[in-house]
Amino acid sequence: MSLRATPFPVVIAAPSGAGKTSIARALVERNPDVVFSISATTRPARAYEVHGRDYYFVDDREFDRMIEAGELVEWAVVHGHRYGTPAAGIAAALERGETVVLDIDVQGARQIRRAFPDAVLVFILPPSGAELGRRLAGRGSEAGPERIRRLENARRELPAAAEFDYIIENDDLERAVCALESILVAERHRWRRYVDPEAEVERLRREVDEILTRRE
Ligand code: 5GP
């Protein structure tokens, strides 16, 4: 068989602290044909972040320019900063036949659904509110008011889970990554994702036909 599946974007959204970045990172590390979409943001870089690997860190003027030039397939204001997905990165990955993972917020997920109707949308849930609060408290960079802001955002964003194709509860990282990998495998096997599956089935039928003809 030489069935070929068309690559598609995968959106992973979750309230801050649900663990989506760890899940997305593990998925990309384990699967050579899965790559990250690198967003542009006006948020200042954290100490451990690298320009061009974690984000493209840009100023307001550059972000405005990107919007006006139509370089962003979606963008949104999250926690007071602007974030956007460069269209070129998505197009290049799909062109190479790779599955491209977008770690973005709920507003961005909705825009991606409109731009790429074949995208797969996955929402990550924390196992409990208490665990979410603990995880946010554990992040050195998000102490005090920032933590409260993220918890308020979580309360607002959680109902959006109903708009997604899949829900994964992240009570255990390994299980969550396995669930996500299974979703991708299943999605790649959908009839409508294959390039001309009718032709492939027809080719197989002809091959079987030839064997039968030879026997007669
Ligand atoms: P952080 O500042 O913690 O890296 O990200 C804050 C939030 O912005 C996260 O929910 C993250 O998924 C979201 N985000 C990151 N990049 C993008 C993007 O390109 N578009 C949108 N809409 N959200 C993004």
Side-chain angles (χ1 to χ4, degrees):
M1 279 292 257
S2 49
L3 274 174
R4 242 175 350 106
T6 329
F8 50 90
V10 178
V11 174
I12 306 184
S16 179
K20 74 174 161 172
T21 305
S22 311
I23 295 172
R25 202 164 285 158
L27 178 78
V28 169
E29 270 166 21
R30 291 180 201 183
N31 297 274
D33 56 343
V34 180
V35 295
F36 262 124
S37 154
I38 302 166
S39 297
T41 183
T42 58
R43 165 170 78 62
R46 297 177 184 135
Y48 54 87
E49 288 177 325
V50 176
H51 178 81
R53 184 195 67 187
D54 299 285
Y55 282 104
Y56 298 111
F57 295 99
V58 300
D59 58 18
D60 272 312
R61 251 183 72 172
E62 173 62 4
F63 204 93
D64 285 341
R65 191 202 59 75
M66 292 175 97
I67 295 172
E68 269 155 39
E71 291 178 15
L72 301 177
V73 61
E74 64 78 31
W75 70 274
V77 176
V78 188
H79 309 138
H81 298 288
R82 290 191 291 174
Y83 296 79
T85 303
I90 305 282
L94 296 178
E95 188 70 26
R96 288 193 300 266
E98 293 164 342
T99 300
V100 57
V101 173
L102 288 75
D103 171 346
I104 62 176
D105 85 319
V106 165
Q107 312 164 70
R110 291 186 182 122
Q111 296 178 61
I112 291 295
R113 172 86 91 194
R114 281 195 291 275
F116 298 94
D118 66 335
V120 174
L121 271 58
V122 182
F123 199 85
I124 311 291
L125 288 176
S128 69
E131 179 58 23
L132 187 70
R134 255 195 307 278
R135 287 180 192 173
L136 286 178
R139 285 188 187 178
S141 60
E142 284 139 27
E146 181 61 20
R147 175 169 170 256
I148 299 301
R149 192 143 70 122
R150 283 172 189 254
L151 282 171
E152 280 167 358
N153 275 345
R155 186 176 52 191
R156 209 183 45 245
E157 285 196 343
L158 277 168
E163 298 170 38
F164 284 65
D165 300 311
Y166 296 96
I167 307 294
I168 298 176
E169 187 185 319
N170 182 22
D171 52 354
D172 175 87
L173 180 64
E174 186 54 38
R175 267 216 303 274
V177 175
C178 281
L180 185 54
E181 284 177 326
S182 309
I183 289 167
L184 296 196
V185 170
E187 284 290 338
R188 284 179 188 145
H189 286 75
R190 277 190 191 274
W191 175 268
R192 65 179 164 84
R193 294 217 189 266
Y194 287 113
V195 181
D196 204 1
E198 289 89 351
E200 284 305 311
V201 172
E202 186 48 33
R203 189 176 59 84
L204 272 177
R205 219 177 60 100
R206 273 201 310 273
E207 285 172 11
V208 174
D209 210 35
E210 271 167 34
I211 299 170
L212 288 172
T213 315
R214 257 183 269 130
R215 276 172 51 94
E216 276 161 15

